[in-house]
């Protein structure tokens, strides 16, 4: 619950993605790769841009996070609100192991093992970049609506000199 959600707050960077576990398919140095800002109320924005300035290949996403406990283990359930990839069925559910100070430079590390992936097991290793208060601004709609009448939504998150924004049509 709330204390567990606080442990995941702040700014994180993706270090590597393994698919299956133990087989690294993507590895990112500092200043590269996806960044996630997580707020205590569960809102998150994850910015993942393959080529700066290019929309093709983007995997950015935002939504809400719920923390659960199962058999003493931390489980994160991420519900996507919008993103640059087609929506998946259901929430992304992962087992999370936190290692305080376990990064190369003493940063906190969160290892997320996907529990319900359509493409099989996947592990992501995230390193904390910054902590501090997280400010969330939500776009709940715009008038007049854009062509096609789609409802737009999105979030801006700010934390310790970092910010992320994702807006667009709701899934």
């Amino acid at each position: 619950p709330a204390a567990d959600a606080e442990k995941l707050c702040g700014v994180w960077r993706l270090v590597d993605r393994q698919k299956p576990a133990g087989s690294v398919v993507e590895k990112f140095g500092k200043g590269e790769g996806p960044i996630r800002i997580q707020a205590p109320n569960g809102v998150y924005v994850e910015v993942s841009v393959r080529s700066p300035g290019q929309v093709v290949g983007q995997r950015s996403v935002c939504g809400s996070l719920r923390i659960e406990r199962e058999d003493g283990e931390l489980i994160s359930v991420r519900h996507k609100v919008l993103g640059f990839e087609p929506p998946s069925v259901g929430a992304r559910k992962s087992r999370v192991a936190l290692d305080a100070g376990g990064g190369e430079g003493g940063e906190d590390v969160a290892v997320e093992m996907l529990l319900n992936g359509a493409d099989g097991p996947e592990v992501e290793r995230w390193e904390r970049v910054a902590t501090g208060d997280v400010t969330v601004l939500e776009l709940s709609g715009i008038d007049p609506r854009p062509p096609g009448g789609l409802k737009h939504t999105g979030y801006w998150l700010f934390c310790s000199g970092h910010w992320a924004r994702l807006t667009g049509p709701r899934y």
Side-chain angles (χ1 to χ4, degrees), residues 26-167:
E26 292 180 291
K27 187 169 181 71
F28 304 99
K30 291 188 181 203
E32 303 173 351
I35 294 288
R36 179 188 295 157
I37 300 180
Q38 179 68 56
N41 67 351
V43 172
Y44 72 93
V45 171
E46 188 175 306
V47 177
S48 179
V49 179
R50 298 283 183 226
S51 301
Q54 299 293 316
V55 174
V56 176
Q58 260 204 60
R59 292 171 42 179
S60 299
V61 64
C62 67
S64 64
L65 168 83
R66 186 179 75 245
I67 298 295
E68 301 173 349
R69 284 269 180 187
E70 289 181 9
D71 300 324
E73 294 183 311
L74 202 59
I75 305 295
S76 74
V77 182
R78 290 189 184 278
H79 297 272
K80 295 179 184 179
V81 173
L82 72 99
F84 281 84
E85 292 187 313
S88 53
V89 178
R92 180 182 170 97
K93 191 172 181 179
S94 301
R95 180 178 300 117
V96 180
L98 291 170
D99 183 5
E104 293 175 10
E107 303 90 350
D108 295 342
V109 172
V111 177
E112 297 183 6
M113 179 179 287
L114 185 61
L115 299 175
N116 61 344
D119 297 330
E122 183 177 310
V123 175
E124 293 181 341
R125 185 171 180 269
W126 292 83
E127 208 170 66
R128 191 186 309 266
V129 174
T131 59
D133 292 337
V134 179
T135 301
V136 177
L137 301 176
E138 179 181 5
L139 172 66
S140 60
I142 54 176
D143 285 320
R145 286 190 176 196
L150 297 174
K151 180 173 171 77
H152 274 59
T153 190
Y155 297 101
W156 286 261
L157 275 72
F158 304 86
C159 179
S160 299
H162 300 270
W163 65 274
R165 168 188 67 122
L166 195 62
T167 63

